[in-house]
């Protein structure tokens, strides 16, 4: 069973702080990793993707991947109340398994 | 900006009734996905189309669910008969190709079965 695990939260951070969201996955052969943001009652929106070990930055967002530890994270700098949402980690396993496996998501609450 | 269109946005039905959801992917996207998302969980793939062909329906409850994409463009997901446990958000997504994992989601259909 290929699994993606996330802490359900809520993760509460003050406005302006760094929010750190974590995800672990079970399939060591996984190749592609995605972060989706989902506001309450809305559909998921792709915000970051990463394929290689290391960091990838896009504006206030940084995705970090460590394949040896089977760990991917999302950092949000200068967190804003508008960042309050559920963040879904999605992984494409290896071995020709051609679909995304989603975690249950971490709920982030940014308070003023 | 191109979007995945879905309808209806909300659907309330009684158990044992039939329901249908419609999806029109982003123009040029060959791969279309139907996901189900139960409150508090991540989306779970029900069916994946490549053009008009089903490439994965391993998690589709085929005794009551059916999906089609006859001309390789828009798609319909049907449930008959609906059960209480089918209450969930049904999400349609599309991507440019089967190997392109960047999914773009529609607004979803929130189904409530009473």
């Amino acid at each position: 069973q290929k699994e993606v695990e996330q802490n359900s939260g809520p993760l509460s951070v003050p406005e302006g702080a760094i929010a750190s969201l974590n995800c672990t996955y079970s399939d060591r052969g996984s190749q592609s990793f995605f972060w989706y943001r989902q506001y309450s009652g809305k559909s998921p929106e792709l915000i970051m993707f990463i394929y290689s070990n290391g960091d990838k930055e896009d504006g206030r967002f940084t995705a970090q991947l460590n394949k040896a530890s089977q760990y991917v994270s999302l950092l949000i700098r200068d967190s804003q109340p508008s960042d309050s949402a559920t963040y879904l980690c999605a992984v494409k396993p290896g071995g020709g398994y051609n679909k995304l496996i989603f975690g249950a998501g971490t709920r982030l609450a940014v308070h003023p | 900006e191109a979007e995945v269109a879905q309808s209806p946005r909300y659907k309330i039905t009684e158990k044992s009734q039939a329901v249908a959801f419609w999806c029109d992917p982003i123009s040029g996207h060959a791969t279309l996905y139907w996901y189900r998302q139960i409150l508090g969980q991540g989306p779970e793939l029900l069916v994946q189309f490549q053009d008009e062909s089903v490439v994965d329906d391993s998690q589709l409850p085929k005794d009551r669910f059916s999906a089609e994409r006859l001309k390789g463009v828009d798609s319909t997901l049907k449930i008959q008969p609906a059960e209480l446990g089918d209450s969930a958000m049904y999400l349609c997504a599309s991507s440019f190709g089967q190997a392109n994992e960047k999914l773009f989601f529609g607004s979803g259909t929130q189904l409530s079965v009473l």
Side-chain angles (χ1 to χ4, degrees):
Chain A
Q1 181 77 358
K2 303 182 190 298
E3 296 181 343
V4 176
E5 300 287 342
Q6 295 181 257
N7 188 319
S8 62
L11 173 66
S12 182
V13 301
E15 185 175 357
I18 296 175
S20 178
L21 304 160
N22 305 315
C23 172
T24 60
Y25 56 94
S26 64
D27 181 22
R28 185 169 291 279
S30 297
Q31 297 294 321
S32 309
F33 307 86
F34 304 83
W35 284 99
Y36 285 81
R37 177 177 62 199
Q38 186 172 28
Y39 292 112
S40 180
K42 303 296 184 182
S43 60
E45 173 192 13
L46 179 65
I47 56 171
M48 288 289 288
F49 58 91
I50 187 167
Y51 301 138
S52 304
N53 274 330
D55 295 0
K56 179 181 179 181
E57 186 175 317
D58 184 1
R60 295 187 297 113
F61 298 100
T62 299
Q64 298 177 318
L65 175 61
N66 185 325
K67 289 187 177 181
S69 299
Q70 296 175 233
Y71 179 95
V72 58
S73 64
L74 179 70
L75 301 179
I76 306 175
R77 289 181 300 282
D78 189 23
S79 295
Q80 301 297 310
S82 59
D83 295 324
S84 298
T86 295
Y87 290 80
L88 299 166
C89 174
V91 176
K92 181 181 178 182
Y97 195 77
N98 196 33
K99 67 182 183 184
L100 289 184
I101 307 298
F102 282 85
T106 297
R107 188 158 62 91
L108 172 66
V110 180
H111 54 86
Chain B
E1 184 175 306
E3 293 183 343
V4 176
Q6 276 191 259
S7 66
R9 182 69 181 89
Y10 302 94
K11 181 68 178 178
I12 300 174
T13 191
E14 295 184 345
K15 64 180 181 179
S16 79
Q17 296 299 303
V19 293
F21 313 129
W22 176 81
C23 173
D24 192 12
I26 293 172
S27 178
H29 279 195
T31 310
L32 184 147
Y33 313 78
W34 284 103
Y35 281 85
R36 177 172 60 187
Q37 187 176 23
I38 295 170
L39 190 64
Q41 299 182 18
E44 177 191 22
L45 181 68
L46 292 176
V47 61
Q48 177 179 341
F49 289 93
Q50 179 66 24
D51 298 311
E52 67 275 8
S53 300
V54 173
V55 296
D56 188 339
D57 63 356
S58 57
Q59 300 302 309
L60 188 71
K62 298 180 186 65
D63 57 335
R64 297 185 300 107
F65 286 64
S66 64
E68 61 182 16
R69 192 184 184 198
L70 293 177
K71 296 183 179 179
V73 182
D74 60 339
S75 175
T76 301
L77 177 69
K78 297 179 181 178
I79 308 174
Q80 183 174 18
E83 296 181 352
L84 297 179
D86 296 332
S87 295
M89 173 80 86
Y90 290 82
L91 295 161
C92 179
S94 69
S95 66
F96 184 73
Q98 193 170 346
N100 186 332
E101 310 95 338
K102 298 175 190 175
L103 303 186
F104 295 88
F105 284 88
S107 56
T109 295
Q110 183 64 55
L111 174 66
S112 296
V113 182
L114 306 178

